Coordinates of all heavy atoms in Angstrom, one line a residue:
M265 N 13.8 2.0 -18.5 CA 14.9 2.9 -18.5 C 15.5 2.9 -19.9 O 15.8 1.9 -20.5 CB 15.9 2.4 -17.5 CG 16.9 3.4 -17.1 SD 17.5 3.2 -15.4 CE 18.9 2.1 -15.7
E266 N 15.8 4.1 -20.4 CA 16.3 4.2 -21.8 C 17.6 5.0 -21.7 O 17.6 6.1 -21.2 CB 15.3 4.9 -22.6 CG 15.7 5.0 -24.1 CD 14.5 5.6 -24.9 OE1 13.6 4.9 -25.2 OE2 14.6 6.8 -25.2
N267 N 18.7 4.5 -22.2 CA 20.0 5.1 -22.2 C 20.4 5.6 -20.8 O 21.0 6.7 -20.6 CB 20.0 6.3 -23.1 CG 19.8 5.9 -24.6 OD1 20.2 4.8 -24.9 ND2 19.1 6.7 -25.3
G268 N 20.1 4.8 -19.8 CA 20.5 5.2 -18.4 C 19.6 6.3 -17.7 O 19.9 6.6 -16.6
N269 N 18.6 6.8 -18.4 CA 17.8 7.8 -17.8 C 16.4 7.2 -17.4 O 15.9 6.4 -18.1 CB 17.5 9.0 -18.9 CG 18.8 9.7 -19.2 OD1 19.7 9.9 -18.4 ND2 18.9 10.1 -20.5
L270 N 15.9 7.7 -16.3 CA 14.6 7.2 -15.9 C 13.5 7.9 -16.7 O 13.5 9.1 -16.9 CB 14.4 7.5 -14.4 CG 15.2 6.7 -13.4 CD1 14.9 7.2 -12.0 CD2 14.9 5.2 -13.6
N271 N 12.5 7.1 -17.2 CA 11.3 7.7 -17.8 C 10.4 8.1 -16.7 O 10.5 7.8 -15.6 CB 10.7 6.6 -18.7 CG 11.5 6.2 -19.9 OD1 12.2 7.1 -20.4 ND2 11.3 5.0 -20.3
Q272 N 9.4 9.0 -17.1 CA 8.5 9.5 -16.1 C 7.8 8.3 -15.5 O 7.3 7.4 -16.1 CB 7.5 10.4 -16.8 CG 6.5 11.0 -15.9 CD 5.6 12.0 -16.6 OE1 5.8 12.4 -17.7 NE2 4.5 12.3 -15.9
G273 N 7.7 8.4 -14.1 CA 7.0 7.4 -13.4 C 7.8 6.2 -13.0 O 7.4 5.3 -12.3
E274 N 8.9 6.0 -13.7 CA 9.8 4.8 -13.4 C 10.6 5.0 -12.2 O 11.1 6.1 -11.9 CB 10.7 4.6 -14.6 CG 10.8 3.2 -15.1 CD 11.7 3.1 -16.3 OE1 11.4 3.6 -17.3 OE2 12.8 2.4 -16.1
G275 N 10.8 4.0 -11.4 CA 11.6 4.0 -10.3 C 11.1 4.7 -9.1 O 11.8 5.0 -8.1
K276 N 9.8 5.0 -9.0 CA 9.2 5.7 -7.9 C 8.4 4.8 -7.1 O 7.5 4.1 -7.6 CB 8.4 6.9 -8.4 CG 9.0 8.2 -8.2 CD 8.0 9.3 -8.2 CE 8.8 10.6 -8.1 NZ 8.1 11.8 -8.4
D277 N 8.6 4.8 -5.8 CA 7.8 4.0 -4.9 C 6.4 4.7 -4.8 O 6.3 5.9 -4.6 CB 8.5 4.1 -3.5 CG 7.8 3.5 -2.4 OD1 6.6 3.2 -2.5 OD2 8.4 3.4 -1.3
P278 N 5.3 4.0 -4.8 CA 4.0 4.6 -4.8 C 3.7 5.4 -3.5 O 3.1 6.5 -3.6 CB 3.0 3.4 -4.8 CG 3.8 2.3 -5.5 CD 5.2 2.6 -5.1
S279 N 4.3 5.0 -2.4 CA 4.0 5.7 -1.1 C 4.8 7.1 -1.2 O 4.4 8.1 -0.7 CB 4.4 4.9 0.1 OG 5.8 4.6 0.1
A280 N 6.0 7.1 -1.8 CA 6.8 8.3 -2.0 C 6.0 9.3 -2.9 O 5.9 10.5 -2.6 CB 8.1 8.0 -2.6
F281 N 5.4 8.8 -4.0 CA 4.6 9.6 -4.9 C 3.4 10.2 -4.1 O 3.2 11.4 -4.2 CB 4.1 8.8 -6.1 CG 3.0 9.4 -6.8 CD1 3.3 10.5 -7.7 CD2 1.7 9.0 -6.7 CE1 2.2 11.1 -8.4 CE2 0.7 9.6 -7.4 CZ 0.9 10.6 -8.2
L282 N 2.7 9.4 -3.4 CA 1.6 9.9 -2.6 C 1.9 10.9 -1.6 O 1.2 11.9 -1.4 CB 0.8 8.7 -2.0 CG 0.1 7.8 -3.0 CD1 -0.4 6.5 -2.3 CD2 -1.0 8.5 -3.8
S283 N 3.1 10.7 -0.9 CA 3.5 11.7 0.1 C 3.9 13.1 -0.6 O 3.6 14.1 -0.1 CB 4.8 11.2 0.8 OG 4.5 10.1 1.5
E284 N 4.4 13.0 -1.8 CA 4.8 14.2 -2.6 C 3.6 15.0 -3.0 O 3.7 16.2 -3.2 CB 5.6 13.9 -3.8 CG 7.0 13.4 -3.5 CD 7.7 12.9 -4.7 OE1 7.3 13.2 -5.9 OE2 8.8 12.3 -4.6
I285 N 2.4 14.4 -3.2 CA 1.3 15.1 -3.8 C 0.3 15.6 -2.7 O -0.8 16.2 -3.0 CB 0.5 14.3 -4.9 CG1 -0.1 13.0 -4.3 CG2 1.5 14.0 -6.0 CD1 -1.0 12.3 -5.3
I286 N 0.6 15.3 -1.4 CA -0.3 15.8 -0.4 C -0.3 17.4 -0.5 O 0.7 18.0 -0.6 CB 0.2 15.4 1.0 CG1 -0.1 13.9 1.2 CG2 -0.5 16.2 2.1 CD1 0.4 13.2 2.4
G287 N -1.5 17.9 -0.4 CA -1.7 19.4 -0.6 C -2.0 19.8 -2.0 O -2.4 20.9 -2.2
N288 N -1.9 18.8 -2.9 CA -2.2 19.1 -4.3 C -3.6 18.6 -4.8 O -4.1 17.7 -4.1 CB -1.1 18.5 -5.2 CG 0.2 19.2 -5.0 OD1 0.3 20.4 -4.8 ND2 1.3 18.4 -5.0
A289 N -4.0 19.1 -5.9 CA -5.3 18.6 -6.5 C -5.1 17.2 -7.1 O -4.0 16.9 -7.7 CB -5.7 19.5 -7.6
V290 N -6.1 16.3 -6.8 CA -6.0 14.9 -7.2 C -7.4 14.5 -7.8 O -8.4 15.1 -7.5 CB -5.6 13.9 -6.1 CG1 -4.2 14.2 -5.7 CG2 -6.6 14.0 -5.0
T291 N -7.4 13.5 -8.6 CA -8.6 12.8 -9.0 C -8.6 11.4 -8.5 O -7.5 10.7 -8.6 CB -8.7 12.7 -10.6 OG1 -8.7 14.1 -11.1 CG2 -9.9 12.0 -11.0
V292 N -9.6 11.0 -7.8 CA -9.7 9.7 -7.2 C -10.9 8.9 -7.8 O -12.0 9.4 -7.8 CB -9.9 9.7 -5.7 CG1 -10.0 8.4 -5.1 CG2 -8.8 10.5 -5.0
K293 N -10.6 7.8 -8.5 CA -11.7 7.0 -9.1 C -12.0 5.8 -8.2 O -11.0 5.1 -7.8 CB -11.4 6.6 -10.5 CG -12.6 5.8 -11.1 CD -12.4 5.6 -12.6 CE -13.6 5.1 -13.2 NZ -13.4 4.9 -14.7
L294 N -13.2 5.6 -7.9 CA -13.6 4.5 -7.0 C -14.0 3.3 -7.9 O -14.3 3.4 -9.1 CB -14.8 4.8 -6.2 CG -14.7 6.1 -5.3 CD1 -15.9 6.2 -4.4 CD2 -13.4 6.0 -4.5
N295 N -14.0 2.1 -7.3 CA -14.4 0.9 -8.0 C -15.8 1.0 -8.6 O -16.1 0.3 -9.6 CB -14.3 -0.3 -7.1 CG -12.9 -0.6 -6.6 OD1 -11.9 -0.4 -7.4 ND2 -12.7 -1.0 -5.4
S296 N -16.6 1.8 -8.0 CA -18.0 1.9 -8.5 C -18.1 2.8 -9.7 O -19.1 2.9 -10.3 CB -18.9 2.6 -7.4 OG -18.4 3.9 -7.1
G297 N -17.0 3.5 -10.1 CA -17.0 4.4 -11.2 C -17.1 5.9 -10.8 O -16.9 6.7 -11.7
V298 N -17.5 6.1 -9.6 CA -17.7 7.5 -9.1 C -16.3 8.1 -9.0 O -15.3 7.5 -8.6 CB -18.4 7.5 -7.7 CG1 -18.4 9.0 -7.2 CG2 -19.8 7.0 -7.9
V299 N -16.2 9.4 -9.4 CA -14.9 10.1 -9.4 C -15.0 11.3 -8.4 O -16.0 12.0 -8.4 CB -14.6 10.6 -10.8 CG1 -13.3 11.5 -10.7 CG2 -14.4 9.5 -11.7
Y300 N -14.0 11.4 -7.6 CA -13.9 12.6 -6.7 C -12.7 13.4 -7.1 O -11.6 12.8 -7.4 CB -13.7 12.1 -5.2 CG -15.0 11.5 -4.7 CD1 -15.2 10.1 -4.7 CD2 -16.0 12.3 -4.1 CE1 -16.4 9.6 -4.2 CE2 -17.1 11.7 -3.6 CZ -17.3 10.4 -3.7 OH -18.5 9.8 -3.2
R301 N -12.8 14.7 -7.1 CA -11.7 15.6 -7.4 C -11.6 16.6 -6.2 O -12.6 17.1 -5.8 CB -12.0 16.4 -8.7 CG -11.9 15.5 -9.9 CD -11.9 16.3 -11.2 NE -11.7 15.4 -12.3 CZ -12.6 15.2 -13.2 NH1 -13.7 15.9 -13.2 NH2 -12.4 14.4 -14.2
G302 N -10.4 16.7 -5.7 CA -10.2 17.6 -4.6 C -8.8 17.7 -4.2 O -7.9 17.3 -4.9
E303 N -8.5 18.4 -3.1 CA -7.1 18.6 -2.6 C -6.8 17.5 -1.6 O -7.5 17.3 -0.6 CB -7.1 19.9 -1.9 CG -5.7 20.3 -1.5 CD -5.7 21.7 -1.0 OE1 -6.0 22.7 -1.7 OE2 -5.4 21.9 0.3
L304 N -5.8 16.7 -1.9 CA -5.4 15.6 -1.0 C -4.8 16.1 0.3 O -3.8 16.9 0.3 CB -4.4 14.7 -1.7 CG -3.9 13.4 -0.9 CD1 -5.1 12.5 -0.7 CD2 -2.8 12.7 -1.7
Q305 N -5.4 15.8 1.4 CA -4.9 16.3 2.7 C -4.2 15.2 3.5 O -3.2 15.5 4.2 CB -6.1 16.8 3.6 CG -6.7 18.0 3.0 CD -5.7 19.1 2.9 OE1 -5.0 19.5 3.8 NE2 -5.6 19.6 1.6
S306 N -4.6 13.9 3.4 CA -3.8 12.9 4.0 C -4.2 11.5 3.4 O -5.2 11.4 2.8 CB -4.2 12.8 5.5 OG -5.5 12.5 5.7
I307 N -3.2 10.6 3.6 CA -3.4 9.2 3.1 C -2.6 8.3 4.0 O -1.6 8.7 4.5 CB -3.0 9.1 1.6 CG1 -3.4 7.8 1.0 CG2 -1.5 9.4 1.5 CD1 -3.4 7.8 -0.5
D308 N -3.2 7.1 4.2 CA -2.4 6.2 5.1 C -2.0 4.9 4.3 O -2.2 4.9 3.1 CB -3.3 5.8 6.3 CG -4.5 5.0 6.0 OD1 -4.7 4.5 4.9 OD2 -5.4 4.9 7.0
G309 N -1.5 4.0 5.0 CA -1.0 2.8 4.3 C -2.0 1.9 3.7 O -1.8 1.0 2.9
Y310 N -3.3 2.1 4.1 CA -4.4 1.3 3.6 C -5.1 2.1 2.4 O -6.1 1.7 1.9 CB -5.5 1.1 4.6 CG -4.9 0.2 5.7 CD1 -4.5 0.7 7.0 CD2 -4.8 -1.2 5.6 CE1 -4.0 -0.1 8.0 CE2 -4.3 -2.0 6.6 CZ -3.9 -1.4 7.8 OH -3.4 -2.2 8.8
M311 N -4.5 3.2 2.0 CA -5.0 4.1 1.0 C -6.3 4.8 1.4 O -7.1 5.3 0.6 CB -5.2 3.4 -0.4 CG -3.9 2.9 -0.9 SD -3.3 3.5 -2.5 CE -4.7 3.7 -3.5
N312 N -6.6 4.8 2.7 CA -7.7 5.7 3.2 C -7.2 7.1 3.0 O -6.1 7.4 3.2 CB -8.0 5.5 4.7 CG -8.4 4.0 5.0 OD1 -9.2 3.5 4.3 ND2 -7.9 3.5 6.1
L313 N -8.1 8.0 2.5 CA -7.7 9.3 2.2 C -8.7 10.4 2.6 O -9.9 10.1 2.7 CB -7.3 9.5 0.8 CG -8.3 9.0 -0.3 CD1 -9.1 10.2 -0.8 CD2 -7.5 8.4 -1.4
A314 N -8.2 11.6 2.8 CA -9.0 12.7 3.2 C -8.8 13.8 2.1 O -7.7 14.1 1.7 CB -8.6 13.3 4.5
L315 N -9.9 14.3 1.6 CA -9.9 15.3 0.5 C -10.6 16.6 1.0 O -11.6 16.5 1.8 CB -10.6 14.9 -0.7 CG -10.1 13.6 -1.5 CD1 -11.1 13.2 -2.6 CD2 -8.7 13.9 -2.0
E316 N -10.1 17.7 0.6 CA -10.8 19.0 0.9 C -11.2 19.6 -0.4 O -10.7 19.3 -1.5 CB -9.8 20.0 1.6 CG -9.6 19.7 3.1 CD -8.8 20.8 3.8 OE1 -8.4 21.7 3.1 OE2 -8.7 20.6 5.0
K317 N -12.2 20.5 -0.4 CA -12.7 21.2 -1.6 C -13.1 20.1 -2.6 O -12.7 20.2 -3.8 CB -11.7 22.2 -2.1 CG -11.3 23.2 -1.2 CD -10.2 24.1 -1.8 CE -9.5 24.8 -0.7 NZ -8.2 25.3 -1.1
C318 N -13.8 19.1 -2.2 CA -14.1 17.9 -3.0 C -15.4 18.0 -3.8 O -16.4 18.6 -3.3 CB -14.2 16.7 -2.0 SG -14.3 15.2 -2.8
E319 N -15.3 17.5 -5.0 CA -16.5 17.4 -5.9 C -16.7 16.0 -6.3 O -15.7 15.3 -6.6 CB -16.3 18.3 -7.1 CG -16.1 19.8 -6.8 CD -15.8 20.6 -8.0 OE1 -15.2 20.1 -9.0 OE2 -16.2 21.8 -8.0
E320 N -17.9 15.6 -6.4 CA -18.3 14.2 -6.8 C -18.8 14.2 -8.2 O -19.7 15.0 -8.5 CB -19.3 13.7 -5.9 CG -19.8 12.3 -6.2 CD -20.9 11.8 -5.3 OE1 -22.0 12.5 -5.3 OE2 -20.7 10.9 -4.5
Y321 N -18.3 13.3 -9.1 CA -18.8 13.2 -10.5 C -19.3 11.8 -10.7 O -18.6 10.8 -10.4 CB -17.6 13.5 -11.4 CG -17.2 14.9 -11.4 CD1 -16.3 15.4 -10.5 CD2 -17.7 15.9 -12.3 CE1 -15.8 16.7 -10.4 CE2 -17.3 17.2 -12.3 CZ -16.3 17.6 -11.3 OH -15.9 18.9 -11.3
V322 N -20.5 11.7 -11.3 CA -21.0 10.4 -11.7 C -21.3 10.5 -13.2 O -22.0 11.4 -13.7 CB -22.3 10.1 -10.9 CG1 -22.9 8.8 -11.4 CG2 -22.1 10.1 -9.4
D323 N -20.7 9.5 -13.9 CA -20.8 9.5 -15.4 C -20.4 10.8 -16.0 O -21.0 11.3 -16.9 CB -22.2 9.2 -15.8 CG -22.6 7.8 -15.4 OD1 -21.8 6.9 -15.4 OD2 -23.8 7.6 -15.1
G324 N -19.4 11.5 -15.4 CA -18.8 12.7 -15.9 C -19.6 14.0 -15.6 O -19.2 15.0 -16.0
V325 N -20.7 13.8 -14.8 CA -21.5 14.9 -14.5 C -21.3 15.2 -13.0 O -21.4 14.3 -12.1 CB -23.0 14.6 -14.7 CG1 -23.9 15.8 -14.3 CG2 -23.2 14.3 -16.2
K326 N -21.1 16.5 -12.7 CA -20.9 16.9 -11.3 C -22.2 16.7 -10.5 O -23.2 17.3 -10.9 CB -20.4 18.4 -11.2 CG -20.2 18.8 -9.8 CD -19.6 20.3 -9.8 CE -19.6 20.9 -8.5 NZ -19.1 22.2 -8.5
K327 N -22.2 16.0 -9.4 CA -23.4 15.7 -8.6 C -23.4 16.5 -7.3 O -24.5 17.0 -6.9 CB -23.5 14.2 -8.3 CG -23.7 13.3 -9.5 CD -25.1 13.6 -10.1 CE -25.4 12.7 -11.2 NZ -26.7 12.9 -11.8
R328 N -22.3 16.6 -6.6 CA -22.2 17.3 -5.3 C -20.9 17.9 -5.1 O -19.9 17.5 -5.7 CB -22.4 16.3 -4.2 CG -23.8 15.7 -4.2 CD -24.0 14.9 -2.9 NE -25.3 14.4 -2.9 CZ -25.6 13.2 -2.5 NH1 -24.7 12.4 -2.0 NH2 -26.9 12.7 -2.5
S329 N -20.9 18.9 -4.2 CA -19.6 19.5 -3.7 C -19.6 19.3 -2.2 O -20.6 19.4 -1.5 CB -19.6 21.0 -4.0 OG -19.5 21.2 -5.3
Y330 N -18.4 18.9 -1.7 CA -18.2 18.6 -0.3 C -17.1 19.5 0.2 O -16.1 19.8 -0.5 CB -17.8 17.2 0.0 CG -18.8 16.2 -0.5 CD1 -18.6 15.5 -1.7 CD2 -19.9 15.9 0.3 CE1 -19.5 14.5 -2.1 CE2 -20.9 14.9 -0.2 CZ -20.6 14.2 -1.4 OH -21.5 13.3 -1.8
G331 N -17.2 20.0 1.5 CA -16.0 20.7 2.1 C -14.9 19.7 2.3 O -13.8 19.8 1.8
D332 N -15.2 18.6 3.0 CA -14.3 17.5 3.3 C -14.9 16.2 2.9 O -16.1 16.0 3.0 CB -13.9 17.5 4.8 CG -13.2 18.7 5.3 OD1 -12.4 19.3 4.5 OD2 -13.5 19.1 6.4
A333 N -14.1 15.3 2.4 CA -14.6 13.9 2.1 C -13.5 12.9 2.6 O -12.3 13.2 2.5 CB -14.8 13.7 0.7
F334 N -14.0 11.8 3.1 CA -13.1 10.7 3.6 C -13.5 9.5 2.8 O -14.6 9.1 2.7 CB -13.3 10.5 5.1 CG -12.9 11.7 5.9 CD1 -13.9 12.6 6.3 CD2 -11.6 11.9 6.3 CE1 -13.6 13.7 7.0 CE2 -11.3 13.1 7.0 CZ -12.3 13.9 7.4
V335 N -12.5 8.9 2.2 CA -12.7 7.7 1.3 C -11.9 6.5 1.9 O -10.7 6.6 2.2 CB -12.2 8.0 -0.1 CG1 -12.4 6.8 -1.0 CG2 -12.9 9.2 -0.7
R336 N -12.6 5.4 2.0 CA -12.0 4.2 2.5 C -11.2 3.6 1.4 O -11.6 3.5 0.2 CB -13.1 3.2 3.0 CG -12.5 2.0 3.6 CD -13.5 1.2 4.3 NE -12.9 0.0 4.8 CZ -13.5 -1.1 5.2 NH1 -14.8 -1.1 5.2 NH2 -12.8 -2.1 5.7
G337 N -10.0 3.2 1.7 CA -9.0 2.7 0.7 C -9.4 1.6 -0.1 O -9.0 1.5 -1.3
N338 N -10.2 0.6 0.4 CA -10.5 -0.5 -0.4 C -11.5 -0.2 -1.5 O -11.8 -1.0 -2.4 CB -11.1 -1.7 0.5 CG -12.4 -1.4 1.1 OD1 -12.8 -0.2 1.3 ND2 -13.2 -2.4 1.4
N339 N -12.1 1.0 -1.5 CA -12.9 1.5 -2.6 C -12.2 2.2 -3.8 O -12.8 2.4 -4.8 CB -14.0 2.5 -2.1 CG -14.9 1.8 -1.1 OD1 -15.4 0.7 -1.4 ND2 -15.1 2.4 0.0
V340 N -10.9 2.5 -3.6 CA -10.1 3.3 -4.5 C -9.6 2.4 -5.6 O -8.9 1.4 -5.4 CB -9.0 4.0 -3.8 CG1 -8.1 4.7 -4.8 CG2 -9.5 4.9 -2.7
M341 N -9.9 2.8 -6.9 CA -9.3 2.1 -8.1 C -8.0 2.8 -8.4 O -7.0 2.1 -8.6 CB -10.3 2.2 -9.3 CG -9.8 1.6 -10.5 SD -10.8 1.8 -11.9 CE -12.3 0.9 -11.4
Y342 N -8.0 4.1 -8.4 CA -6.7 4.8 -8.7 C -6.8 6.3 -8.2 O -7.8 6.8 -7.9 CB -6.3 4.8 -10.2 CG -7.2 5.7 -11.1 CD1 -7.0 7.1 -11.1 CD2 -8.1 5.1 -11.9 CE1 -7.8 7.8 -12.0 CE2 -8.9 5.9 -12.8 CZ -8.7 7.2 -12.8 OH -9.5 8.0 -13.7
I343 N -5.6 6.8 -8.0 CA -5.4 8.2 -7.6 C -4.5 8.8 -8.6 O -3.4 8.3 -8.9 CB -4.8 8.4 -6.2 CG1 -5.6 7.7 -5.1 CG2 -4.5 9.8 -5.8 CD1 -5.0 7.6 -3.8
S344 N -4.9 10.0 -9.2 CA -4.1 10.7 -10.2 C -3.8 12.1 -9.7 O -4.8 12.8 -9.3 CB -4.9 10.7 -11.5 OG -4.3 11.5 -12.4
A345 N -2.6 12.5 -9.9 CA -2.3 13.9 -9.6 C -2.7 14.8 -10.7 O -2.5 14.4 -11.9 CB -0.8 14.1 -9.3
D346 N -3.4 15.9 -10.5 CA -3.9 16.8 -11.5 C -2.9 17.8 -11.9 O -2.0 18.1 -11.2 CB -5.2 17.4 -11.1 CG -6.4 16.4 -11.1 OD1 -6.2 15.3 -11.6 OD2 -7.4 16.7 -10.4

């Protein structure tokens, strides 16, 4: 916090952030290094998530496109809003 103003990302609960980005484009990186990009449809308390219009990238190269994808939360390294 600088001069009483919140900096970007400061003071936000992660679950509130995730609730706000449902329906938006996200990038999800797994512990294996595989990256999924798609539209976040749902997420639960274990970080299990459902993506629509999903694409899979391995080493930065697009490998597959999926209509829907479900990712188990313990595989997720991070989720980024695009």
